[in-house]
Amino acid sequence: MTTTTPVSPRSLRWARRRQSFTRSWNAYRSQRTGMIGLFLLAAIVILALAAPILVDESQLSVTQATGGRMEPPSAGFPLGTDEVGRSILALTLWGARLSLLIGLTATVVAILVGTAIGVTAGHIGGWYGWIALRFSDWFMVLPSLVVAIALLAVLGRSMSTTILVIAMVSWSGTTRLVRAQTLTVQARPYLERAKALGAGHWHQMTKHILPNVLPLVLASATLLVPSAILMESSLAWLGLGDPNVVSWGSILNRASSNGAVSAHAWWYLLPPGLAILLVVLAFMMCGRALEAVFNPRLRGEQS
Amino acid sequence: MTLLEFKDLHVTYTGSRGRIPAVRGVDLKVESGRTLGIAGESGCGKSTLAMAVLRLLPKSAEVTGEILLNGEDLLTMGWGRLRAVRWTGASIVFQGAMHSLNAVHRIGRQVAEPILLHEEGISPNEAAERAEALLERVGLPSSRARSYPHELSGGQRQRVMIAMALACDPDLIIADEATTALDVMVQAQVLQLISGLVTERGVGLVMISHDLSVLSEVCDEVAVMYAGSVVEQGPAHEVFANARHPYSAALGAAFPVIGDPASRKRPGGLAGDPPDPVRLPDGCAFRPRCAVAVERCGEEVPALLAVPGAAGEGPARVSACFVAQEGEPVVV
Amino acid sequence: MSSEARSSNEEPSSGSAPSSAAPVRGEKSLTARDLRVEFGLPGGRVARAVDGVDLDVAPGEIVALAGESGCGKTTLARTLLGLERSTGGTVAFGGEPLRYSTKALKAYRRQVQLVLQDPSGALNPRHTVYDAVAEGLRIHGITDDEPGRVADALSRAGLRPPEQFFLAYPHELSGGQRQRVVIAGALVLRPSILIADEPVASLDASVRGEILALLLRLKEEQGLGALVITHDLGLAWSIADRIAIMYLGRIVEQGPVEQVLTAPRHPYTRALVSVLPGAPALKEAVPEPIVLAGELPDASRIPGGCRFRPRCQEVAAGRAAEVLHRCESEDLEILGPESAPHLVACHLDRARREDARDGGARMAV
Ligand SMILES: Nc1ncnc2c1ncn2[C@@H]1O[C@H](COP(=O)(O)OP(=O)(O)O)[C@@H](O)[C@H]1O
Ligand SMILES: Nc1ncnc2c1ncn2[C@@H]1O[C@H](COP(=O)(O)OP(=O)(O)O)[C@@H](O)[C@H]1O
Ligand code: SF4
Ligand code: SF4
Ligand SMILES: [Mg+2]
Ligand SMILES: [Mg+2]
């Protein structure tokens, strides 16, 4: 028990948050894979953020390309060049920005929608809950490629369409998870106590249910990002992405459509491929570690 | 005849917080056909003591001393012998044991299982008949043998557990909070059943509970435990009605005697928290919560000694309290 | 409630509180009349969990509601709190029938508060003690001097010095401390009635007394009224003024604790009292332990006539022969909520009393 006596409610709330963050952080820190994932992720994010400083944007321009067609790695182009003579290193670095951006944005959208529908479906239940559940089931079994092609046909190929497509096929998993967790929290006596204190639905959902589902959501979000990045890559690889931007998937798409495979231009295929693999791995490692941190808490403290 | 005897038993767990001395030097005896009650609040080591008898403790537990069942030391016994003893020598009914029934097997099969395992040459049909007979003994119609656990109420499931404990005619039954979760009336039914078994079949019974008033009704003798040690022992009614240790007095006061004006609108109890076994105080472990402590209590550990004012018939009165040993009153 | 009335109501405990334990009936008492709660079960059956209950709880008195598990105690409590809708009868506070609009319920909940059985489950593991106690204030938008009110509630619940507990999480507290936090969380709204559902059942024997003493003190010093639900008659003896014995959704005997527990008249109460351990004074009233066979029937299969008849020891022993036809066919009327007289819902008891009265009258002639 603590013996400090800060008395304003604000300072108390902060002290409490600090305390609980420290606790979670200490638990996370003790997991080696999680820490490796975190370092990897940090490195990738820093590189992506620093891309404009490291490599000038002009290097992405097809018209200003300085290298030859599909040159193997050399001193001037450490990872070789593409079919129009642009540096693969530059493309991969810049591609990281877009792949991460699309992956994160799509995940955030999916998580927000999934959590909102999951919490309300679990808490309100009844007809609304039933319909919300069927609705999310329906999305779960929807083949993502068909959705993508249909939407792209209607909305045209663009970054926001890609994000929309990925979010649409990803939110339902979160809904299921959140709804299930909401139902277990819902049955806890502390919700009964809150109701007896006069709490309305908003209070119950924001003060009791959300804080108890968020850790799980965070862990599952960390696992959603890599799948969103993979999906973006596949869409781009299939030529369904935004044609005007550079992402890892679009690099691969151009590589394969320009005969990089038959030309044995491994330097064209490997860097974006490895980058995808690395990001996916890093997120997975973080996600698993987060799950390990939050799950025993969820099970242990509430029983 | 002495059926079960603990000799200077110590059990120490090693946990994340270090060494936890859960049982600290317990000496107790149970005769055939007699009932010993063990009382104390949760964490005082009652279940550890019970589990030590059948060597059910986790590997992290370090056990020293002796536990003799019919003169044989259970702690040094080989595994083969121990397996036999686990059903035919002694069996335990745990608190909430009713939750440990297998949900997918019928009741009859679960009761018959130990019989089939431990009796040579018995046919499955005979075992099933025995199981039905056992269910009737514990007050369940034999047709219940075909039920699944979820079809029974909590009280009925607890009876099934007792039937299972009886399956191989053990000499000793240990009931660890076996009736705590039950309603008064169901508790009375189960207690009546258990006491019947003791008188009728001469088994020895160790009854563990935090409810001193229940123990005082059912048992011949009661031992009160605090922080892993026995602090008072004597005839059940005496310990409840006229405690000679401040802790037993407080524990007894927690259960008011209905009709007694002295306890009307005066809920009894004990201030302070139960002791932390990792950080026991010096001297008497009860001192931080004791209202009659004297200076000596902080320096020496009181031994379990005979107390004055208890000479007479029946088992000896012993108490581990300096004040009681001086013959002074233990309640203020 | 107007703000002036509130501030006078929220004066620190010591000065303004009524010192005597006499219950104050009327303005702030909680009443139930012919209350019924039914649950539809799969297969079209209906569980009559609460089947006609009259009950009064006034500030300054502790009423115990006792009965076997499954007899409807929790359902009754939840209905009194407006957490469950009744299917018949009324709940009223201060004479005003309870309305279920969000606003009316919210106002009601400042007056009638709940304490749950399991304090570990009743506290959100992610909220500190401070947040748990301040929750009620925040819900009701009471923002002035929040820390002061929280500290006051904690110390009234016996957690002193309160600031030391502000930042603790429930898992860092002992069971008794947790239950005090739950009680403080209810007290912070300054309710006039507390409904406590098995408040000590999950606590250690030695800790129980402290929580019960706290309830008793809150009643005596601050005029709080409480309905304490329990299956332990000893608890009623320790703290309650009145007791109601419930069987299968109905109150079968009620009156002052001394009378009901030392001179029980309903066969069910007599059986319950008879199996209590170690009560010499009771041996006169009920000499032999009466261990009833069987268990509480299901709430969807309430027997006709007297609901206790299938288990009634008087019927089984043939002592109720003269009233047996009534036991079998005539349901008993709902017992009134009056506080003073000792009321019993039993044909046999009624017949015996009438006989005694007639006999007395004949002798006088
Ligand atoms: N497996 C275990 N590992 C570590 N400590 C344990 C274990 N089991 C029990 N303990 C500790 O031993 C003490 C006695 O426990 P127990 O025998 O269960 O007491 P009781 O049955 O009287 O409640 C407690 O302090 C408990 O925390
Ligand atoms: N939500 C519900 N749906 C159906 N039956 C219920 C529900 N709640 C309680 N019951 C039934 O009502 C009866 C009374 O239950 P309860 O009020 O919990 O009793 P107690 O608190 O006295 O143990 C029981 O038979 C129970 O099965
Ligand atoms: S020895 Fe001392 S501290 Fe221990 S119980 Fe007796 S009086 Fe209390
Ligand atoms: S009315 Fe009849 S059946 Fe019911 S309790 Fe009285 S004697 Fe028994
Ligand atoms: Mg135990
Ligand atoms: Mg209940």
Side-chain angles (χ1 to χ4, degrees):
Chain A
M1 202 181 306
T2 31
T3 44
T4 42
T5 51
V7 176
S8 101
R10 263 263 293 309
S11 70
L12 279 172
R13 212 163 309 148
W14 278 108
R16 185 198 81 194
R17 290 201 180 135
R18 226 176 12 251
Q19 212 181 38
S20 100
F21 177 79
T22 318
R23 235 173 1 151
S24 306
W25 171 239
N26 285 340
Y28 187 92
R29 225 169 34 174
S30 66
Q31 312 216 25
R32 194 130 66 92
T33 49
M35 287 310 280
I36 296 175
L38 197 63
F39 277 121
L40 265 178
L41 209 58
I44 294 167
V45 168
I46 288 171
L47 280 178
L49 287 176
I53 305 167
L54 298 173
V55 181
D56 194 74
E57 194 168 359
S58 64
Q59 291 204 27
L60 301 182
S61 156
V62 183
T63 49
Q64 294 172 34
T66 52
R69 181 184 154 80
M70 285 206 218
E71 271 180 28
S74 63
F77 299 99
L79 294 177
T81 63
D82 71 353
E83 77 283 352
V84 294
R86 294 179 297 179
S87 160
I88 301 287
L89 179 65
L91 288 175
T92 309
L93 274 179
W94 277 86
R97 293 169 70 85
L98 221 85
S99 288
L100 284 179
L101 183 69
I102 292 180
L104 288 173
T105 318
T107 303
V108 167
V109 173
I111 289 285
L112 285 180
V113 173
T115 306
I117 296 184
V119 167
T120 50
H123 180 72
I124 297 167
W127 269 105
Y128 169 77
W130 190 85
I131 290 171
L133 194 64
R134 296 296 145 242
F135 190 59
S136 77
D137 280 351
W138 188 66
F139 268 92
M140 201 164 235
V141 295
L142 221 56
S144 48
L145 267 182
V146 178
V147 178
I149 292 167
L151 271 180
L152 290 165
V154 179
L155 300 173
R157 294 194 293 166
S158 77
M159 206 167 88
S160 38
T161 316
T162 309
I163 291 174
L164 191 69
V165 168
I166 299 175
M168 272 185 91
V169 298
S170 320
W171 66 274
S172 54
T174 308
T175 299
R176 297 226 117 206
L177 179 83
V178 168
R179 182 179 164 275
Q181 182 66 14
T182 301
L183 290 179
T184 53
V185 175
Q186 189 98 316
R188 306 274 176 210
Y190 53 80
L191 254 104
E192 178 100 342
R193 174 175 167 265
K195 275 184 239 163
L197 281 168
H201 294 299
W202 181 250
H203 179 98
Q204 292 174 44
M205 288 194 285
T206 55
K207 291 292 180 332
H208 291 284
I209 297 173
L210 266 184
N212 278 293
V213 302
L214 277 185
L216 260 194
V217 167
L218 182 61
S220 88
T222 327
L223 298 173
L224 259 189
V225 178
S227 86
I229 291 179
L230 278 177
M231 206 179 294
E232 187 274 333
S233 303
S234 354
L235 288 176
W237 187 74
L238 289 170
L240 298 171
D242 187 336
N244 305 316
V245 297
V246 179
S247 75
W248 290 332
S250 74
I251 302 177
L252 285 173
N253 169 260
R254 295 175 68 108
S256 60
S257 60
N258 286 297
V261 181
S262 53
H264 299 291
W266 54 267
W267 59 88
Y268 199 171
L269 294 163
L270 267 189
L274 279 180
I276 293 172
L277 200 72
L278 215 61
V279 162
V280 168
L281 206 70
F283 270 108
M284 292 282 213
M285 285 165 126
C286 294
R288 294 276 168 242
L290 279 179
E291 268 190 341
V293 170
F294 291 129
N295 256 334
R297 274 263 293 279
L298 288 172
R299 269 181 259 126
E301 283 179 16
Q302 287 170 7
S303 60
Chain B
M1 190 188 74
T2 303
L3 179 63
L4 176 74
E5 187 168 5
F6 296 98
K7 283 190 178 167
D8 194 27
L9 189 75
H10 287 260
V11 181
T12 309
Y13 294 103
T14 308
S16 54
R17 298 178 54 222
R19 288 167 63 78
I20 304 166
V23 173
R24 306 183 302 138
V26 165
D27 291 278
L28 285 172
K29 267 188 199 178
V30 187
E31 314 281 325
S32 298
R34 309 271 301 167
T35 304
L36 170 71
I38 298 180
E41 64 200 319
S42 61
C44 74
K46 307 181 297 294
S47 298
T48 304
L49 197 65
M51 288 190 289
V53 175
L54 292 184
R55 292 203 354 220
L56 295 171
L57 293 171
K59 283 208 183 68
S60 71
E62 186 186 308
V63 186
T64 63
E66 280 175 63
I67 305 175
L68 306 177
L69 184 68
N70 286 320
E72 230 182 323
D73 190 352
L74 284 158
L75 295 180
T76 54
M77 191 174 272
W79 279 105
R81 178 83 190 105
L82 184 68
R83 249 173 64 87
V85 165
R86 275 196 184 164
W87 286 99
T88 57
S91 49
I92 305 191
V93 187
F94 285 107
Q95 166 171 28
M98 53 227 198
H99 304 299
S100 66
L101 285 169
N102 189 330
V104 300
H105 293 318
R106 294 177 198 276
I107 295 298
R109 170 166 168 193
Q110 300 191 51
V111 178
E113 202 168 81
I115 305 177
L116 276 170
L117 274 175
H118 287 274
E119 297 205 11
E120 313 252 308
I122 192 164
S123 76
N125 272 346
E126 282 172 299
E129 272 168 32
R130 281 266 297 279
E132 287 183 9
L134 280 166
L135 289 177
E136 284 192 356
R137 288 205 55 163
V138 298
L140 291 174
S142 57
S143 60
R144 277 299 187 192
R146 285 188 300 283
S147 306
Y148 288 98
H150 71 90
E151 295 167 331
L152 306 183
S153 70
Q156 289 174 326
R157 271 180 273 168
Q158 196 64 328
R159 284 168 206 235
V160 172
M161 295 311 296
I162 294 173
M164 282 174 76
L166 293 175
C168 296
D169 268 319
D171 304 324
L172 174 73
I173 297 177
I174 301 176
D176 185 0
E177 307 265 14
T179 61
T180 303
L182 305 178
D183 260 313
V184 247
M185 196 48 73
V186 184
Q187 178 175 340
Q189 292 166 353
V190 174
L191 289 178
Q192 203 177 42
L193 167 75
I194 295 181
S195 322
L197 288 170
V198 173
T199 44
E200 181 186 311
R201 305 217 314 200
V203 298
L205 174 66
V206 176
M207 204 155 124
I208 296 175
S209 174
H210 67 278
D211 189 336
L212 199 49
S213 64
V214 166
L215 293 182
S216 77
E217 283 288 288
V218 180
C219 301
D220 304 304
E221 207 186 342
V222 164
V224 178
M225 278 181 78
Y226 190 79
S229 310
V230 174
V231 294
E232 179 172 3
Q233 196 182 340
H237 266 293
E238 297 269 301
V239 173
F240 181 51
N242 176 25
R244 298 300 292 138
H245 190 285
Y247 178 64
S248 338
L251 200 57
F255 300 92
V257 175
I258 291 180
D260 173 10
S263 60
R264 173 77 178 128
K265 292 210 182 164
R266 238 169 265 147
L270 193 53
D273 292 324
D276 177 355
V278 180
R279 273 176 285 140
L280 289 177
D282 291 333
C284 175
F286 186 62
R287 188 178 43 92
R289 300 165 86 184
C290 184
V292 296
V294 292
E295 201 177 325
R296 199 179 159 196
C297 305
E299 292 151 11
E300 282 172 68
V301 180
L304 193 60
L305 298 175
V307 288
E313 306 294 302
R317 267 322 265 293
V318 288
S319 163
C321 170
F322 295 126
V323 170
Q325 287 160 9
E326 297 289 324
E328 306 286 329
V330 292
V331 275
V332 279
Chain C
M1 180 185 283
S2 79
S3 64
E4 291 110 287
R6 188 169 80 210
S7 58
S8 73
N9 189 25
E10 280 155 7
E11 212 68 36
S13 52
S14 46
S16 61
S19 56
S20 90
V24 192
R25 268 168 212 292
E27 206 189 321
K28 290 192 165 172
S29 49
L30 178 63
T31 55
R33 289 293 178 273
D34 192 21
L35 197 63
R36 289 166 197 272
V37 184
E38 294 176 351
F39 294 108
L41 299 179
R45 287 184 300 135
V46 173
R48 282 141 65 194
V50 176
D51 192 34
V53 165
D54 282 10
L55 194 69
D56 274 9
V57 186
E61 70 171 344
I62 295 183
V63 180
L65 179 69
E68 280 170 278
S69 55
C71 74
K73 305 183 296 294
T74 298
T75 307
L76 176 57
R78 298 189 75 237
T79 312
L80 290 176
L81 282 156
L83 293 170
E84 191 78 66
R85 292 284 273 268
S86 61
T87 47
T90 53
V91 175
F93 182 77
E96 288 279 312
L98 178 58
R99 281 169 301 125
Y100 293 91
S101 72
T102 314
K103 206 163 147 239
L105 273 180
K106 205 163 163 176
Y108 177 65
R109 286 184 173 141
R110 293 202 53 182
Q111 297 295 337
V112 181
Q113 264 303 317
L114 167 72
V115 173
L116 286 162
Q117 163 173 5
D118 171 20
S120 317
L123 295 171
N124 189 329
R126 291 174 189 281
H127 290 184
T128 55
V129 166
Y130 183 90
D131 285 328
V133 177
E135 186 167 10
L137 297 174
R138 291 177 186 161
I139 288 168
H140 290 273
I142 303 167
T143 48
D144 61 307
D145 193 23
E146 186 182 277
R149 287 172 194 265
V150 170
D152 176 53
L154 282 171
S155 53
R156 283 199 291 153
L159 291 171
R160 294 189 201 101
E163 286 81 11
Q164 244 188 43
F165 294 89
F166 277 5
L167 285 187
Y169 281 91
H171 69 94
E172 298 165 323
L173 304 177
S174 69
Q177 287 174 328
R178 281 181 216 162
Q179 191 61 298
R180 286 169 190 271
V181 172
V182 173
I183 293 176
L187 290 179
V188 80
L189 290 174
R190 301 239 161 213
S192 37
I193 308 278
L194 215 55
I195 296 183
D197 190 357
E198 308 261 13
V200 296
S202 64
L203 300 178
D204 229 308
S206 58
V207 186
R208 280 181 198 181
E210 293 231 289
I211 298 293
L212 296 180
L214 169 64
L215 290 175
L216 201 56
R217 204 170 58 239
L218 288 170
K219 176 198 96 162
E220 278 166 2
E221 292 172 4
Q222 300 173 24
L224 195 72
L227 177 68
V228 179
I229 291 172
T230 179
H231 62 262
D232 173 9
L233 296 178
L235 184 154
W237 184 258
S238 289
I239 62 169
D241 301 292
R242 287 193 293 130
I243 184 169
I245 308 283
M246 196 164 175
Y247 185 81
L248 261 190
R250 190 68 74 82
I251 287 170
V252 295
E253 176 158 9
Q254 78 139 317
V257 167
E258 284 88 350
Q259 288 180 34
V260 174
L261 291 187
T262 59
R265 281 162 38 199
H266 194 283
Y268 179 59
T269 319
R270 290 172 67 81
L272 285 182
V273 165
S274 77
V275 297
L276 289 174
L282 296 181
K283 297 292 180 240
E284 285 167 42
V286 196
E288 283 297 311
I290 307 157
V291 179
L292 295 175
E295 285 169 20
L296 192 70
D298 197 274
S300 63
R301 297 202 190 84
I302 297 182
C306 169
R307 58 196 62 217
F308 184 57
R309 182 182 39 82
R311 295 173 79 193
C312 179
Q313 70 271 23
E314 302 296 328
V315 170
R319 286 189 294 266
E322 48 181 312
V323 289
L324 190 60
H325 60 286
R326 304 180 68 188
C327 297
E328 275 167 359
S329 58
E330 223 175 280
D331 196 1
L332 287 128
E333 78 275 23
I334 294 167
L335 294 184
E338 294 82 13
S339 62
H342 180 175
L343 298 171
V344 180
C346 168
H347 295 302
L348 181 64
D349 177 73
R350 192 146 313 148
R352 282 180 180 164
R353 308 223 117 211
E354 273 159 20
D355 283 355
R357 206 167 40 239
D358 292 351
R362 258 197 306 280
M363 246 176 277
V365 170

